[in-house]
Structure formats: C-alpha cells, structure tokens
Amino acid sequence: MRSFFSSVLLRNWLFLLILLVTGGITFWASTIVEFNLKVILIFFFALFSLFLTFHFSYRLASTVTTQLKVLQEKASAVNAGETSSSLVMTNIEELANLSKEIDLMSIRLRQQFHDLTLEKEKFNFVLQSLKEGVFAIDKNKTILFQNKSLPSVLIPENSGMRKIDSVITNIKLLEFLNEHIEKDKEGKILLECSNKKYYSVRLYNLQTNPNYPIFIGVITDKTEERERQIMREQFFQSASHELKTPITSIKGYTENLE
C-alpha cells in the first residue's frame, strides 16, 4: 500500500519514461525517413502524448474519486444511523487510514448509542416506578412524557406528543400551566377534583437549553393529607362548640354568684 504522494510520483515517472522512450524512438525514426513522414511521425507522437496524458490523468482521478465516493457513502450511512463496520478496500494509504477512522467512529457511535439507550431505559423505568405522577412539557406546550402514576382525571393516558389544550380538561390546571410556561417560571398549585380528590401540582423549569426549555411537572396525591386536615378542623370546631356550652353556663352562674 502506497501513499497518495508516492502513487502520483510513480505514475508521473512512468508517464515521463514512456514519453522519453516514445520520443527517442520517434526522433530515431525521423532521421531515416523522408520529410513528409517526419511530419506524420511528429503528429502521431503529439497525438500519442495527448492520449497518454489523458489516460494517466483519467486513471488517477478515477481511482481517487471512486474510492472517495465509497468513503462518502460509508460516512453518509454512519450519519444516518447505520453503524455497521466495514473497511473500504483501497490501495491508497491516506484513504485507508480515513476508512479506519470512520470505522472507529462508527464503533464509538454504536457504543454511545447503546449506552444512551440503556440509560434511557433505566431513567424511564425509574420514572414509571414513582408513585408521584410525572410529566414533561416543552415550550410549545406539547406533552413529551408522562408516567403511569399520572391521575387520568388531570392528564388522560396516552397524551404524549399532544397539546395540553386538547387533553387537559381541568380549567385551573390548564390556566396554571399556560401561565407558567409562557412566563418561564416555576410554581405550585393545589387542585380539588370532582371525585373528591386533592392533588398538588409542582412545575419545574429545566434550563438545559435556553432556546428549548423543558418543564417537568410532579403531581402528588394529597387526598389523605387533606382529609386528615379537614378532620382536624372539624374536631377543633366540634370541641370548641362543645366547650362553649358549659363555659357559658359556668360564666352565667359566676355572674349570679357575684
């Protein structure tokens, strides 16, 4: 395997050698023939030189461009996601090294793609296993992700890649999301649904890309906590009411004794 420089240099020396031999033969022949034949010999020598120049130039250009085209197709395949490794057969050292580098890049891309896929599956498994409902929305108000714990009364199932205006029927939640997404800010809201359920919705703004912000929403079921709070309030109200009656009587008797 030769380098491109040595290949061109070798072809040039071969081309020069053929011209010198042909020129020597033509010069020797021109010394033993008549003048008219000399003109014909010179004409044929010039025609042969032009043909030889074109032939060598075409062969050299064709050899390089054909192999470059194969490398281009291979690079395009890698760019399109096809990471299969296959060396391009070439007798030019620089192109062979380029082919090896493309193969190494293809192997690295395949490994990185495998690692990213594995990390994505792990991350998706963790999100799906959470008891809290989690969803992601982009700047265009499109739902990018939702886990199985999301209450369907707030965000229906299979709402991925759909606009929030077309899937969310809870007016307070829709207004909350629209306002905070448009203003690029975080926030929290407590919702009471028609099925006597209470949910806390927290919205976070992930500034991973300033030009393409992602909003993460976390929905927590606060029904039991809210019910306990209502029970405490009712207990204190009942206790306060029950205590007011004897206290009023005691207060009346005290006034009479005074």
Side-chain angles (χ1 to χ4, degrees), residues 143-162:
I143 299 176
L144 303 177
F145 170 83
Q146 62 177 135
N147 67 353
K148 298 177 182 179
S149 301
L150 274 178
S152 58
V153 68
L154 295 179
I155 300 180
E157 298 179 0
N158 302 321
S159 298
M161 306 312 297
R162 297 174 63 185

Side-chain angles (χ1 to χ4, degrees), residues 177-203:
L177 293 177
N178 282 324
E179 177 185 356
H180 286 73
I181 290 175
E182 291 172 359
K183 295 181 180 179
D184 286 337
K185 66 178 184 179
E186 300 180 352
K188 183 180 180 180
I189 188 175
L190 182 64
L191 300 175
E192 179 181 1
C193 299
S194 57
N195 57 353
K196 301 300 180 181
K197 289 283 188 177
Y198 296 86
Y199 297 100
S200 172
V201 182
R202 185 93 184 189
L203 191 67

Side-chain angles (χ1 to χ4, degrees), residues 5-194:
F5 175 78
S6 62
S7 298
V8 173
L9 187 62
L10 181 63
R11 288 173 183 267
N12 286 339
W13 278 110
L14 180 61
F15 171 70
L16 182 60
L17 179 62
I18 294 175
L19 283 183
L20 288 176
V21 172
T22 308
I25 294 174
T26 303
F27 177 76
W28 174 78
S30 64
T31 59
I32 60 176
V33 296
E34 299 179 357
F35 178 77
N36 293 333
L37 293 177
K38 288 182 180 180
V39 175
I40 296 175
L41 283 174
I42 295 174
F43 173 77
F44 276 105
F45 174 72
L47 187 63
F48 175 76
S49 300
L50 289 176
F51 172 77
L52 195 63
T53 303
F54 173 78
H55 176 73
F56 271 88
S57 300
Y58 176 79
R59 287 291 302 274
L60 179 62
S62 176
T63 301
V64 176
T65 54
T66 300
Q67 296 174 6
L68 282 176
K69 185 177 180 181
V70 175
L71 286 174
Q72 181 183 3
E73 293 175 352
K74 182 176 181 180
S76 299
V78 173
N79 185 46
E82 182 181 342
T83 56
S84 59
S85 177
S86 59
L87 287 172
V88 176
M89 301 304 296
T90 175
N91 56 355
I92 299 178
E93 184 178 359
E94 290 84 356
L95 296 183
N97 293 334
L98 180 59
S99 177
K100 292 179 181 178
E101 291 298 325
I102 293 177
D103 284 328
L104 292 175
M105 180 181 67
S106 174
I107 294 172
R108 287 196 299 269
L109 287 176
R110 184 166 62 249
Q111 183 62 39
Q112 291 176 0
F113 179 77
H114 178 267
D115 294 340
L116 287 175
T117 302
L118 185 60
E119 291 298 323
K120 180 182 178 181
E121 291 177 354
K122 291 180 180 179
F123 184 68
N124 186 63
F125 176 77
V126 171
L127 289 180
Q128 294 294 348
S129 302
L130 292 175
K131 65 177 183 179
E132 292 84 4
V134 179
F135 62 95
I137 303 177
D138 64 4
K139 184 65 175 178
N140 299 322
K141 302 177 183 179
T142 302
I143 299 176
L144 303 177
F145 170 83
Q146 62 177 135
N147 67 353
K148 298 177 182 179
S149 301
L150 274 178
S152 58
V153 68
L154 295 179
I155 300 180
E157 298 179 0
N158 302 321
S159 298
M161 306 312 297
R162 297 174 63 185
K163 299 289 186 179
I164 59 175
D165 296 331
S166 63
V167 295
I168 297 179
T169 57
N170 189 291
I171 303 301
K172 291 183 64 177
L173 176 60
L174 186 59
E175 292 177 350
F176 168 78
L177 293 177
N178 282 324
E179 177 185 356
H180 286 73
I181 290 175
E182 291 172 359
K183 295 181 180 179
D184 286 337
K185 66 178 184 179
E186 300 180 352
K188 183 180 180 180
I189 188 175
L190 182 64
L191 300 175
E192 179 181 1
C193 299
S194 57

Side-chain angles (χ1 to χ4, degrees), residues 231-241:
M231 290 176 64
R232 286 195 299 267
E233 292 176 354
Q234 291 176 349
F235 171 76
F236 286 124
Q237 289 177 359
S238 299
S240 175
H241 176 72

